[in-house]
């Protein structure tokens, strides 16, 4: 029995979720109109006055009366939340005080002009975002909106009015509305209100009458507003009917459905449905029901052409798997709220209809209580000779009939052996049992063939009089008929069960394939991995080769696989077809009507926001794709498109973050370097200018002092530039070490000698362990690293303080320590000391904050580590650890140091 009114589980779940979401938040009521001046605010305030008299706790968040006396009168008595002032470019603007409303927490708040743009500096850029926050807080909202501000109607309004609409409200907000109240006026009445000064005042009213407020434009806007409201009410109605077991479909609007099969006449049905849908301005869909029947190549190709025609004409294709076509059609019509069904005139097959409960048309007429049925006869002759239809259509190969023949022969042989013992009537049960057992493994055709053959064999060889087809007893005739009927019923039932099992297995395989694809996509770490995973999984389901090309952040198509077996997609001809499918968003290539000479089919990956690539399929000797394979490729392309778009958005986000970080780093470098370069350059210029003074030129002491300062500042400038160059080389990864064996004491002595002027005010002591091994380092680079530690100690410790340098071997490592007796390091700053451009808060001026970062980079490229800490006796301590390497063989006659 077909349950025509069984609710769709998915629709029921969606309706329940929507109802729960509305129950958790506040309720939104929108007073909707075609333009300003129709009375939306007036209607909202009038309803608010009624609610206030009912005892509802409400407040006015923001209402603009535009100087209309009747509107201002309705504001009397309503509690008003004062607006807050926002200053922008020396102009004071007033906006709705969202925080005050949330603190007050009324039951209902009035918010006029939903599409309003808030002043810069407000929490949200748009007023509709304020409304969303109010709804999420459980506060009901009344608001007003004009049709030109609806996002999905923007283009139509701009075409009608010639005015660019800048303030938009997304349709998702209106979908959240519990009620949309249409406030309607005829264009004539609205123009009269404009003349009476009830819409705009002064020059603004005159300008409006010359531009926006014209009767033809207002009429068009009114039509859009009425249609939008009707669609909103229709969607709400479907949501209500989906959540309950109603007694039928309420025909609030027309929806058409056409049944499509592999028949050539289905093309006529599709075109007729399209014409009917166009005349009714109604949506339509085409349904194909896969009953598990084995179709030939020509039938499959015709089915593909029929379904492609549906897509070309703008219809929706729905593919189902069910052994009962009537049940599938009725259930789909119920779920999709179909009001009219178009079918072809079914061929009469009396015997099949007798056993099947009537013809397809009869069963539809009985159960189709929610929609009308249009029956169309073939409109044209296909040119093919009419096929003779058998009374029963058997889907079995001749081998099965041959097998059943031998089963009956075996049963006859067994019956001949048992005949003297059990009698001829019991032999009939042996034949019946044999037919029933084998019917579990074959279709209805071989089963009925076996039943007829068993009955004839039993009658001819075993029922007296033998060797004749004459029945001497009525009971014998009844048993033969029972054998035939039992076999026919059993064969029919088992055939149906087997079909259902096959369909369920096919559906399970598709579902499992999509699950595997979705799992592979979610587990992949990058786009190449999930593209490869999708290709591999699809290849297991559809014989052939798959290749995927995805759009990169530059907007160009890029082939994902590096396997030479997939290089066919990059051929000139194939790549041209792939680019066409990518650019136009349409399927092209093999087995299509577009660029059909290609060896592969190219399916564009159309994501929620953009086309992200192409899925290519090259068959292995196939001439068509089955409908299941078509559905699988379509579903897989949707999954792949969403994943590719997500990856693309993430990559763009990473690039934007890198750009922002680079911009910040660039600004930091610019600020730091400009200060560090300007200070010594200013000192050098000043001292050099002073040297040109005649009085100073004769004063040798003063000249010597200025020269010393020039040299010191030049060395400081040189250090800054050297540090920047070293950091650039380290970050670029192009630093090439010139490592050689060196004595650590020589390295320390050369470094101290090079910076003796900078360290002249400090007491420097060196304590090295005896028999210290050689180190294999880049002398100049490591000298720079050690110099940065020494100069850092010299800059941030008081004059005459002690700086100690020590070196020793501990646990197969050479430990070089630079410590001072200064104030030490703040504990919170120690983890950040070696970061780029980091300077300890409150430290004295001077330094760019890159010296320690360079030291760490140099030490790490040598395979060592550097750390910082405080000494127990006071002061900071920096430690460099280098791995101890196998010492080189010294030349003969030379002793180790």
């Amino acid at each position: 029995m077909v349950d025509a009114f069984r609710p769709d589980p998915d629709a029921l779940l969606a309706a329940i979720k929507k109802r729960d979401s509305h129950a958790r938040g506040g309720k939104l009521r929108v007073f909707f109109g075609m333009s300003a001046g129709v009375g939306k605010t007036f209607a909202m305030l009038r309803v608010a006055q009624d609610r206030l008299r009912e005892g509802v706790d409400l407040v006015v968040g923001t209402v603009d009366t535009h100087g209309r006396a009747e509107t201002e009168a309705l504001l009397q008595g309503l509690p008003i939340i004062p607006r807050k002032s926002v200053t922008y470019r020396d102009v004071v603007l007033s906006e709705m005080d969202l925080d005050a409303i949330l603190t007050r927490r009324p039951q209902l708040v009035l918010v006029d002009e939903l599409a309003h743009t808030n002043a810069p500096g407000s929490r949200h850029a748009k007023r509709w975002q304020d409304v969303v926050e109010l709804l999420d807080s459980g506060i009901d909202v009344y608001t007003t909106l004009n049709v030109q501000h609806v996002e999905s109607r923007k283009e139509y309004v701009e075409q009608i009015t010639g005015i660019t609409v800048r303030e938009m409200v997304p349709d998702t907000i209106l979908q959240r509305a519990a009620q949309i109240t249409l406030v309607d006026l005829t264009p004539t009445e609205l123009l009269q209100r404009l003349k009476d000064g009830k819409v705009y005042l002064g020059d603004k009213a005159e300008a409006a009458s010359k531009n926006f407020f014209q009767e033809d434009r207002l009429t068009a806007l009114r039509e859009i507003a009425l249609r939008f409201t009707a669609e909103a009410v229709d969607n709400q109605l479907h949501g209500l009917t989906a959540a309950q077991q109603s007694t039928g479909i309420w025909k609030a609007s027309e929806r058409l459905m056409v049944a499509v099969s592999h028949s050539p006449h289905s093309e006529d049905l599709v075109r007729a449905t399209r014409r009917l849908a166009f005349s009714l301005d109604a949506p339509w869909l085409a349904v194909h029901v896969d009953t598990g029947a084995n179709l030939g190549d020509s039938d499959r190709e015709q089915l593909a052409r029929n379904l492609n025609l549906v897509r070309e004409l703008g219809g929706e294709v729905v593919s189902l798997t069910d052994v009962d076509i009537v049940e599938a059609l009725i259930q789909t019509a119920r779920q999709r709220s179909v009001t009219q069904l178009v079918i072809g005139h079914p061929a009469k097959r009396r015997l099949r209809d007798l056993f099947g409960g009537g013809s397809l048309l009869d069963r539809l007429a009985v159960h189709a209580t929610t929609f009308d049925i249009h029956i169309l006869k073939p409109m044209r002759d296909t040119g093919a000779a009419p096929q003779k239809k058998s009374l029963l259509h058997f889907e079995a190969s001749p081998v099965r009939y041959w097998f059943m023949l031998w089963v009956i022969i075996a049963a006859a042989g067994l019956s001949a052996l048992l005949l003297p013992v059990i009698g001829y009537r019991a032999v009939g049960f042996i034949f019946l049992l044999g037919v029933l057992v084998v019917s579990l493994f074959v279709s209805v055709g071989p089963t009925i063939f076996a039943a007829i053959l068993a009955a004839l064999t039993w009658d001819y060889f075993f029922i007296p009089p033998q060797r004749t087809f004459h029945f001497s007893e009525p009971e014998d005739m009844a048993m033969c008929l029972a054998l035939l009927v039992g076999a026919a019923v059993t064969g029919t039932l088992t055939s149906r069960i087997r079909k259902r099992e096959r369909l369920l297995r096919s559906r399970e395989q598709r579902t499992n394939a999509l699950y595997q694809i979705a799992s592979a996509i979610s587990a992949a770490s990058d786009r190449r991995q999930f593209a490869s995973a999708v290709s591999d999984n699809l290849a297991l389901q559809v014989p052939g080769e798959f290749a995927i090309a995805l759009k990169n952040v530059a907007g160009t198509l890029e082939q994902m696989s590096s396997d030479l077996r997939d290089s066919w997609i990059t051929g000139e001809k194939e790549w041209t077809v792939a680019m066409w499918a990518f650019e136009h968003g349409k399927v092209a290539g093999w087995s299509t009507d577009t660029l059909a000479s290609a060896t592969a089919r190219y399916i564009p990956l159309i994501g929620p926001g953009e086309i992200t690539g192409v899925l290519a399929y090259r068959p292995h000797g196939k001439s068509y794709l089955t409908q299941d394979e078509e559905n699988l490729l379509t579903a897989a392309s949707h999954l792949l498109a969403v994943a590719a778009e997500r990856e693309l958005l993430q990559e763009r986000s990473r690039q934007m973050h890198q750009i922002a970080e680079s911009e910040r780093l660039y600004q930091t470098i610019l600020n730091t370097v400009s200060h560090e370069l300007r200070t010594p350059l200013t000192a050098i210029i000043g001292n050099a200018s002073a040297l040109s003074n005649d009085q100073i030129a004769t004063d040798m002491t003063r000249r010597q002092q200025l020269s010393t300062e020039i040299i010191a500042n030049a060395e400081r400038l040189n250090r800054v530039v050297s540090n920047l160059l070293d950091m650039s080389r380290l970050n670029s990864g192009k630093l090439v070490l010139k490592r050689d064996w060196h004595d650590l004491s020589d390295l320390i002595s050369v470094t101290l000698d090079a910076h003796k002027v900078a360290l002249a005010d400090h007491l420097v002591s060196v304590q090295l362990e005896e028999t210290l091994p050689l180190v294999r380092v880049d002398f100049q680079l490591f000298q720079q690293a050690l110099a940065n530690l020494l100069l850092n100690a010299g800059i941030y410790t008081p004059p005459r303080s002690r700086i100690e340098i020590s070196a020793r071997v501990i646990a197969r490592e050479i430990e070089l320590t630079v410590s001072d007796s200064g104030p030490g390091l703040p504990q919170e700053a120690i983890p950040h000391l070696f970061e780029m451009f980091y300077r300890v808060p409150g430290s004295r001026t001077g330094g760019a904050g890159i010296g320690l970062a360079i030291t760490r980079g140099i030490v790490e490229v040598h395979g060592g580590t550097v750390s910082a800490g405080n000494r127990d006796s006071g002061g900071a301590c920096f430690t460099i650890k280098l791995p101890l390497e196998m010492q080189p063989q010294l030349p003969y006659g030379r002793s180790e140091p």
Side-chain angles (χ1 to χ4, degrees):
M1 181 65 182
V2 179
D3 186 4
F5 306 112
R6 185 177 63 213
D8 179 17
D10 294 333
L12 181 61
L13 180 61
I16 293 174
K17 287 183 177 179
K18 184 176 181 180
R19 182 181 298 175
D20 291 343
S21 64
H22 287 175
R24 288 194 297 269
K27 292 181 173 58
L28 176 65
R29 180 174 181 179
V30 180
F31 292 83
F32 188 67
M34 64 180 177
S35 69
V38 296
K40 301 182 299 299
T41 305
F42 183 86
M44 179 178 69
L45 291 176
R46 188 166 56 185
V47 174
Q49 289 285 358
D50 296 338
R51 299 299 305 277
L52 185 65
R53 284 191 290 271
E54 294 171 3
V56 175
D57 179 21
L58 66 85
V59 297
V60 176
T62 176
V63 168
D64 295 321
T65 63
H66 299 288
R68 300 164 190 159
E70 64 273 17
T71 305
E72 292 180 350
L74 286 175
L75 270 176
Q76 302 299 321
L78 296 179
I80 299 176
I81 299 292
R83 300 187 185 187
K84 66 178 180 179
S85 298
V86 179
T87 303
Y88 178 68
R89 294 184 178 179
D90 299 329
V91 177
V92 179
L93 305 174
S94 61
E95 293 291 351
M96 182 178 70
D97 194 341
L98 178 62
D99 292 324
I101 297 174
L102 293 173
T103 303
R104 169 73 166 72
R105 292 196 65 82
Q107 183 179 351
L108 173 64
V109 60
L110 308 183
V111 181
D112 202 9
E113 297 184 3
L114 183 62
H116 172 76
T117 300
N118 293 330
S122 302
R123 180 188 304 178
H124 300 131
K126 300 291 184 179
R127 184 169 290 172
W128 64 262
Q129 295 172 318
D130 297 337
V131 169
V132 169
E133 185 169 350
L134 291 172
L135 294 173
D136 292 340
S137 301
I139 301 174
D140 296 343
V141 177
Y142 284 0
T143 188
T144 62
L145 181 68
N146 292 333
V147 69
Q148 67 262 29
H149 299 301
V150 179
E151 181 71 42
S152 62
R153 302 307 191 266
K154 176 178 183 293
E155 295 181 358
Y156 302 116
V157 173
E158 289 180 344
Q159 291 175 1
I160 293 170
T161 63
I163 299 173
T164 302
V165 182
R166 303 189 184 279
E167 294 182 325
M168 308 306 303
V169 173
D171 289 53
T172 53
I173 303 303
L174 298 175
Q175 291 173 2
R176 187 169 178 173
Q179 185 176 358
I180 296 180
T181 302
L182 178 65
V183 183
D184 185 43
L185 279 180
T186 64
T188 304
E189 292 175 325
L190 182 57
L191 291 174
Q192 184 61 46
R193 283 176 56 84
L194 181 66
K195 291 179 181 180
D196 296 341
K198 296 181 179 181
V199 179
Y200 296 119
L201 301 176
D203 296 338
K204 192 173 183 181
E206 183 179 355
S209 63
K210 294 179 180 179
N211 296 302
F212 193 86
F213 282 78
Q214 297 181 19
E215 187 171 1
D216 57 343
R217 296 182 178 182
L218 291 176
T219 302
L221 290 176
R222 187 188 186 200
E223 181 184 3
I224 296 176
L226 292 172
R227 282 182 177 273
F228 182 84
T229 307
E231 291 176 7
V233 174
D234 190 48
N235 290 333
Q236 185 178 16
L237 174 63
H238 293 154
L240 292 174
T241 56
Q244 58 188 359
Q245 294 186 7
S246 60
T247 58
I249 297 296
W250 301 330
K251 299 183 180 181
S253 63
E254 297 291 341
R255 282 180 172 81
L256 279 68
M257 183 174 78
V258 56
V260 177
S261 68
H262 58 276
S263 170
H265 303 303
S266 291
E267 295 183 11
D268 299 330
L269 298 180
V270 170
R271 293 189 178 95
T273 306
R274 174 65 181 89
R275 291 192 299 269
L276 184 59
F278 180 79
S279 63
L280 296 175
D281 193 18
W284 65 288
L285 66 148
V287 177
H288 167 250
V289 182
D290 183 5
T291 61
N294 295 322
L295 301 180
D297 292 348
S298 59
D299 290 338
R300 292 186 182 275
E301 291 177 4
Q302 182 62 51
L303 175 61
R305 285 195 295 269
N306 296 340
L307 297 180
N308 287 334
L309 179 62
V310 174
R311 299 185 181 97
E312 291 174 2
L313 296 179
E316 178 187 358
V317 175
V318 178
S319 296
L320 305 173
T321 53
D322 202 318
V323 295
D324 192 334
I325 297 177
V326 173
E327 182 178 355
L329 290 177
I330 293 177
Q331 187 65 21
T332 304
R334 172 73 181 95
Q335 295 172 358
R336 296 301 187 96
S337 302
V338 170
T339 60
Q340 299 187 40
L341 171 65
V342 180
I343 63 172
H345 196 286
K348 291 185 178 181
R349 301 179 186 177
R350 292 180 176 83
L351 187 57
R352 182 204 63 182
D353 296 340
L354 178 62
F355 285 101
S359 67
L360 183 146
L361 181 57
D362 294 336
R363 295 179 62 199
L364 280 175
V366 170
H367 299 291
T369 59
T370 62
F371 55 86
D372 301 326
I373 303 176
H374 296 270
I375 305 171
L376 302 183
K377 286 192 173 183
M379 300 174 60
R380 57 190 172 91
D381 187 5
T382 61
Q387 296 180 358
K388 295 182 179 180
K389 302 294 184 180
S390 60
L391 295 179
L392 289 172
H393 181 59
F394 302 137
E395 300 176 357
S397 63
V399 176
R400 296 298 180 94
Y401 292 92
W402 181 253
F403 170 73
M404 297 304 293
L405 174 62
W406 282 102
V407 168
I408 298 304
I409 293 175
L414 178 62
S415 299
L417 294 176
L418 297 178
L419 180 62
V421 179
I422 60 177
Y424 75 92
R425 289 183 175 175
V427 166
F429 289 102
I430 295 178
F431 282 104
L432 178 61
L433 181 62
V435 172
L436 294 179
V437 170
V438 297
S439 67
L440 299 176
F441 306 98
V442 295
S443 61
V444 61
T447 301
I448 294 179
F449 168 75
I452 295 174
L453 187 61
L456 294 176
T457 303
W458 182 38
D459 182 23
Y460 188 77
F461 290 103
F462 297 96
I463 298 178
Q466 297 177 349
R467 302 296 191 272
T468 67
F469 291 105
H470 176 70
F471 292 99
S472 59
E473 300 291 340
E475 294 86 351
D476 298 337
M477 181 181 295
M479 290 188 65
C480 282
L481 291 177
L483 177 61
L484 287 173
V485 173
V489 172
T490 304
T492 302
L493 293 178
T494 54
S495 178
R496 289 183 178 181
I497 293 173
R498 191 172 294 106
K499 276 188 177 181
R500 289 185 182 272
E501 180 185 4
R502 185 166 60 250
L503 293 175
L504 289 175
R505 188 182 299 113
S506 175
R507 185 181 303 173
E508 181 183 0
Q509 289 176 351
R510 292 197 305 270
T511 303
N512 183 65
L514 291 176
Y515 171 76
Q516 294 295 336
I517 291 172
S519 300
I521 289 175
S522 61
S525 59
D526 56 35
R527 59 208 315 250
R528 290 190 178 275
Q529 284 192 6
F530 71 67
S532 176
V534 171
S535 298
D536 294 342
N537 280 279
L538 286 177
L540 296 176
Q541 303 296 326
V542 184
E545 300 178 56
F546 287 90
I548 296 174
L550 298 179
K551 182 169 68 174
N552 54 30
V553 291
T556 58
L557 208 57
E558 178 184 2
Q559 200 235 345
M560 289 293 101
S561 177
S562 58
D563 196 333
L564 294 178
R565 292 174 299 176
D566 298 336
S567 60
W568 51 267
I569 190 177
T570 57
E572 182 179 357
K573 180 179 179 181
E574 298 297 323
W575 190 252
T576 301
V577 181
M579 288 297 299
W580 189 95
F582 171 69
E583 293 171 357
H584 293 81
K586 296 181 179 179
V587 180
W590 170 80
S591 76
T592 69
D593 295 331
T594 305
L595 303 173
S597 61
T599 61
R601 171 181 285 199
Y602 296 89
I603 305 172
L605 305 179
I606 305 176
E610 58 185 312
I611 300 176
T612 57
V614 172
L615 171 65
Y617 167 67
R618 186 167 71 168
H620 284 167
K622 297 182 66 173
S623 58
Y624 59 88
L625 281 173
T626 65
Q627 191 57 41
D628 285 346
E629 292 171 342
E630 290 265 11
N631 296 337
L632 177 61
L633 292 184
T634 301
S637 66
H638 290 165
L639 290 174
L640 187 58
V642 172
E645 184 169 350
R646 182 191 64 222
E647 184 72 17
L648 201 58
L649 292 175
Q650 290 177 352
E651 182 62 27
R652 289 171 180 166
S653 177
R654 284 193 293 267
Q655 286 195 354
M656 293 299 295
H657 178 73
Q658 290 175 357
I659 291 173
E661 189 67 22
S662 299
E663 188 69 23
R664 185 192 66 82
L665 183 60
Y666 168 78
Q667 191 63 39
T668 303
I669 293 174
L670 183 61
N671 295 337
T672 303
V673 172
S674 61
H675 175 268
E676 288 302 313
L677 294 179
R678 188 184 301 114
T679 302
L681 282 175
T682 302
I684 291 173
I685 293 173
N687 292 331
S689 300
L691 285 175
S692 63
N693 187 281
D694 294 338
Q695 294 181 357
I696 296 178
T698 58
D699 187 348
M700 296 300 296
T701 303
R702 183 59 176 160
R703 285 179 59 191
Q704 183 65 32
Q705 183 181 1
L706 292 174
S707 298
T708 303
E709 292 181 3
I710 290 175
I711 294 173
N713 282 284
E715 290 178 348
R716 178 182 175 183
L717 183 61
N718 182 63
R719 287 196 301 271
V720 172
V721 174
S722 297
N723 282 336
L724 290 174
L725 292 176
D726 290 341
M727 183 53 66
S728 176
R729 292 164 62 196
L730 286 170
N731 289 339
S732 66
K734 297 180 180 180
L735 184 65
V736 179
L737 296 180
K738 299 179 180 178
R739 302 179 67 175
D740 202 353
W741 294 99
H742 298 283
D743 191 338
L744 198 55
S745 60
D746 293 340
L747 179 64
I748 295 173
S749 298
V750 172
T751 305
L752 291 175
D753 186 62
H755 300 282
K756 59 183 178 181
V757 176
L759 301 173
D761 293 337
H762 293 76
L763 302 177
V764 181
S765 63
V766 179
Q767 298 179 358
L768 303 180
E769 189 179 71
E770 294 183 0
T771 65
L772 200 64
L774 301 178
V775 291
R776 188 168 176 266
V777 296
D778 185 313
F779 192 88
Q780 291 185 350
L781 278 179
F782 211 83
Q783 179 187 348
Q784 179 69 23
L786 181 59
N788 287 338
L789 295 181
L790 292 172
L791 294 174
N792 188 74
I795 292 174
Y796 297 107
T797 56
R800 310 307 300 171
S801 61
R802 179 176 295 277
I803 298 175
E804 298 179 358
I805 305 174
S806 63
R808 57 179 179 172
V809 176
I810 297 180
R812 303 297 299 172
E813 287 184 329
I814 300 177
E815 187 178 277
L816 176 64
T817 304
V818 177
S819 55
D820 59 58
S821 54
L825 301 169
Q827 287 297 327
E828 64 275 7
I830 291 178
H832 307 287
L833 285 176
F834 297 98
E835 295 177 1
M836 180 82 82
F837 301 111
Y838 179 81
R839 302 183 75 248
V840 176
S843 59
R844 55 177 291 188
T845 58
I850 59 176
L852 293 181
I854 291 175
T855 297
R856 182 182 65 175
I858 293 174
V859 172
E860 287 180 351
V861 298
H862 283 84
T865 59
V866 60
S867 59
N870 289 317
R871 302 171 64 188
D872 295 337
S873 58
C877 177
F878 293 86
T879 302
I880 296 176
K881 293 182 179 180
L882 294 174
L884 183 62
E885 300 184 36
M886 182 72 68
Q887 296 295 297
Q889 294 293 331
L890 297 178
Y892 177 76
R894 178 179 173 181
S895 60
E896 294 185 8

